[in-house]
Amino acid sequence: GENVEQHPSTLSVQEGDSAVIKCTYSDSASNYFPWYKQELGKRPQLIIDIRSNVGEKKDQRIAVTLNKTAKHFSLHITETQPEDSAVYFCAASDEAGTALIFGKGTTLSVSS
Amino acid sequence: NAGVTQTPKFRVLKTGQSMTLLCAQDMNHEYMYWYRQDPGMGLRLIHYSVGEGTTAKGEVPDGYNVSRLKKQNFLLGLESAAPSQTSVYFCASSYYTGGNQPQHFGDGTRLSIL
């Protein structure tokens, strides 16, 4: 079945710096790759997603890139702010396309 | 429009007790999911449902049962709770397949088994 690896597990940056989180997946049939942000004690919330027919997608300070050949995708956050501090999860669709397999998460800390 | 609502928010059980977690959504979503979240383990899928009256196993189904008698509700049951089931449980739903569309999460249920 699908396996999703996420790195790094923790990431500390200074306010204004960029942050990059990387994920790899194992099933070449996966076609949907969302990213979720979870603040402490809160629910996971979708921040951006990308489908397999697109190589890059941007939404203000957030961007996601997808390399289907290498089976990896990345989240890029520019001009980080303290409110970006949270746990970020990547996910990939399973082989049947009915569910998501999540990475183990990256704890991002942005210090001012 | 409440979205996805989970009850209860917190619960403490003794080993061997049973309980049911309720997930309700008011968005007319077809697909519903139950996850557990443990430190350093991410979100792991327990069971899911692709429509009223259907259920399917996820990655970690052992020790849990589910039912989807009504489209808006998805119940997660623990028949004989074990300390290893101490976790935060999240329910999610999506209009169509959550493997291809955003999933909307509830606020979670924090469950402790003593």
Side-chain angles (χ1 to χ4, degrees):
Chain A
E2 175 68 281
N3 184 49
V4 177
E5 299 283 342
Q6 182 172 348
H7 298 280
S9 57
T10 60
L11 180 60
S12 296
V13 300
Q14 292 286 324
E15 182 177 2
D17 288 349
S18 295
V20 180
I21 303 170
K22 299 181 180 181
C23 289
T24 60
Y25 61 98
S26 60
D27 191 343
S28 57
S30 293
N31 59 11
Y32 179 63
F33 308 92
W35 286 88
Y36 285 82
K37 174 183 180 182
Q38 186 179 29
E39 297 176 355
L40 189 63
K42 303 287 188 180
R43 68 179 74 182
Q45 291 193 301
L46 179 76
I47 55 172
I48 195 167
D49 57 9
I50 192 168
R51 301 184 188 279
S52 58
N53 58 345
V54 175
E56 184 176 3
K57 184 176 180 180
K58 289 183 180 180
D59 183 3
Q60 299 183 336
R61 297 187 295 110
I62 294 174
V64 57
T65 58
L66 172 65
N67 183 326
K68 287 182 59 179
T69 302
K71 288 189 281 188
H72 69 70
F73 56 112
S74 300
L75 177 71
H76 304 254
I77 305 174
T78 59
E79 301 174 18
T80 54
Q81 301 168 2
E83 51 265 41
D84 293 329
S85 296
V87 179
Y88 292 81
F89 294 98
C90 65
S93 53
D94 68 356
E95 55 191 2
T98 55
L100 294 173
I101 304 300
F102 284 82
K104 294 184 177 181
T106 296
T107 300
L108 174 64
S109 299
V110 181
S111 55
S112 56
Chain B
N1 193 341
V4 179
T5 303
Q6 292 183 233
T7 53
K9 296 189 186 307
F10 304 94
R11 185 73 183 269
V12 178
L13 290 178
K14 294 181 179 179
T15 298
Q17 288 185 318
S18 64
M19 80 161 295
T20 300
L21 281 64
L22 171 64
C23 177
Q25 53 92 6
D26 61 2
M27 298 175 285
N28 199 33
H29 284 176
E30 289 291 336
Y31 286 62
M32 297 186 74
Y33 303 84
W34 275 109
Y35 296 91
R36 60 177 291 172
Q37 184 175 34
D38 303 293
M41 297 298 293
L43 292 156
R44 292 184 292 169
L45 183 63
I46 305 171
H47 287 280
Y48 64 98
S49 169
V50 303
E52 181 179 314
T54 75
T55 63
K57 294 180 180 179
E59 301 170 75
V60 289
D62 294 343
Y64 305 95
N65 57 75
V66 288
S67 64
R68 182 108 181 261
L69 299 180
K70 293 183 179 181
K71 184 177 182 178
Q72 63 268 34
N73 296 336
F74 194 29
L75 279 64
L76 178 70
L78 287 73
E79 290 187 346
S80 179
S84 60
Q85 293 177 305
T86 293
S87 188
V88 180
Y89 292 85
F90 284 99
C91 176
S93 70
S94 60
Y95 182 70
Y96 192 54
T97 171
N100 198 32
Q101 286 195 1
Q103 294 186 18
H104 301 262
F105 284 81
D107 286 332
T109 295
R110 187 173 297 275
L111 184 60
S112 294
I113 316 286
L114 305 179

